[in-house]
Amino acid sequence: MSKAPRGPRKPATRGPWSTEEDAKLTNHIAKHGLGRWSDIPRLAGIERGGKSCRLRWLNYLRPDLKRAALSQEEEDLIIQLHSIIGNSWTLIAACLPGRTDNGVKNFWNASIKHKLRRRGIDPDTHEPVVDEGSRNGDAQYILPSHLEAGSNACSHGALTLPDSITRYVDTDPLQLQHGVVLVQPAVSSSSTVGSDPSGSGSDTGEQWNNLVDGSQLFDLTESSTTTTTKSGTTNHACSIADWKLVGAAPRVP
DNA sequence: AATTTGACCAACCGCCTTGCT
DNA sequence: AAGCAAGGCGGTTGGTCAAAT
């Protein structure tokens, strides 16, 4: 990153963007592409900070944005991913084409959080709120609505998980230890957030797609075997046939 | 009709990371 | 290696609008 020359700066405009500002930014990017955000306000003739321009572009003006309300499937996926990776909105949004981290975050805070609370689920931990009246022993995990409780939606076969695997261990209301795996794409440092992680066509990409498909959240109680390749890469090999879904939550009424 | 409440969205803030000088 | 600026990200705030009271 090269340093921009320092000099007196006009105070940046704040507040809502005007249609004129939107047009200037859109036209500039259409003509010149994305350059340094700090230069764009000056080049485009906008009295805003580079940060503000970046945010406006990413969250509102980008042509590939979906403006429609989130579907039930998207909502299910957000809940599932949040239960695994928490408030990593950028990662979650990367699984929802056309959605922004800000949009997902807003939807979570404004809508899903309240729905989960009404269902007696703590939105932070995804566990039942401790309330004697609601503890009836049923599984309370939030899984995609299209997965029925006790079903095994996965196909049999072996899946080799790359080093980028993240494993989380949780305890369910019945004190059953289980693990949940999230297969993360092998994203190079130069990749941009929001790009299609499966674009490389690599094995990792295929696994990522399986996760995005919303059909692979498994009980990992069964042990996995760990191998290390010549290059030092660690692989965790598990037999999918050994994994079971741990339960499903009722749909939002 | 006026007020309140809730949902949704846009924007800003502050902190952290990255990369250049 | 240190300092600095830019970029990225999650948290938060504030505005708007529609439905409910």
Side-chain angles (χ1 to χ4, degrees):
Chain A
M1 246 174 266
S2 60
K3 292 180 186 179
R6 302 176 78 173
R9 271 188 278 185
K10 280 186 189 174
T13 308
R14 298 172 58 108
W17 279 62
S18 66
T19 50
E20 189 191 353
E21 288 175 310
D22 281 349
K24 281 181 178 175
L25 182 56
T26 305
N27 290 339
H28 175 82
I29 291 174
K31 255 187 184 175
H32 303 98
L34 291 173
R36 289 176 44 168
W37 287 112
S38 56
D39 291 340
I40 285 179
R42 178 175 50 84
L43 297 173
I46 301 169
E47 291 182 9
R48 298 260 181 180
K51 248 181 153 174
S52 183
C53 291
R54 174 184 164 271
L55 220 58
R56 183 65 176 172
W57 174 256
L58 293 177
N59 291 337
Y60 194 81
L61 298 174
R62 252 167 56 197
D64 60 325
L65 285 182
K66 268 193 207 167
R67 314 287 309 168
L70 277 95
S71 66
Q72 183 63 53
E73 285 70 30
E74 287 175 310
E75 185 178 323
D76 286 339
L77 183 55
I78 291 170
I79 294 171
Q80 179 192 352
L81 291 171
H82 186 273
S83 72
I84 299 168
I85 59 179
N87 297 356
S88 298
W89 305 117
T90 307
L91 261 182
I92 294 174
C95 299
L96 297 156
R99 304 297 184 184
T100 68
D101 55 350
N102 206 35
V104 171
K105 181 173 57 180
N106 282 334
F107 189 69
W108 177 267
N109 287 326
S111 178
I112 299 180
K113 240 180 168 176
H114 298 123
K115 279 185 189 174
L116 292 180
R117 286 209 180 96
R118 280 199 295 272
R119 285 153 64 170
I121 308 289
D122 184 326
D124 295 323
T125 63
H126 292 262
E127 289 181 3
V129 173
V130 180
D131 171 10
E132 290 308 312
S134 68
R135 295 200 68 154
N136 56 12
D138 291 340
Q140 296 282 330
Y141 290 97
I142 308 303
L143 294 176
S145 56
H146 62 282
L147 298 179
E148 299 298 326
S151 72
N152 191 342
C154 61
S155 58
H156 287 209
L159 174 66
T160 300
L161 306 176
D163 204 13
S164 54
I165 187 174
T166 305
R167 182 175 178 171
Y168 297 82
V169 177
D170 199 358
T171 305
D172 74 10
L174 304 176
Q175 303 302 304
L176 270 170
Q177 280 291 321
H178 72 276
V180 175
V181 294
L182 166 65
V183 182
Q184 295 181 320
V187 179
S188 70
S189 60
S190 62
S191 296
T192 54
V193 171
S195 62
D196 180 4
S198 65
S200 65
S202 65
D203 291 346
T204 305
E206 287 167 19
Q207 290 159 12
W208 177 257
N209 277 344
N210 285 339
L211 176 73
V212 172
D213 185 33
S215 62
Q216 295 202 14
L217 181 61
F218 298 117
D219 187 346
L220 267 188
T221 307
E222 298 297 328
S223 60
S224 61
T225 58
T226 301
T227 57
T228 304
T229 64
K230 277 183 195 170
S231 61
T233 303
T234 305
N235 289 322
H236 307 271
C238 307
S239 167
I240 292 180
D242 293 335
W243 303 355
K244 289 176 298 189
L245 289 172
V246 295
R251 292 194 65 139
V252 180

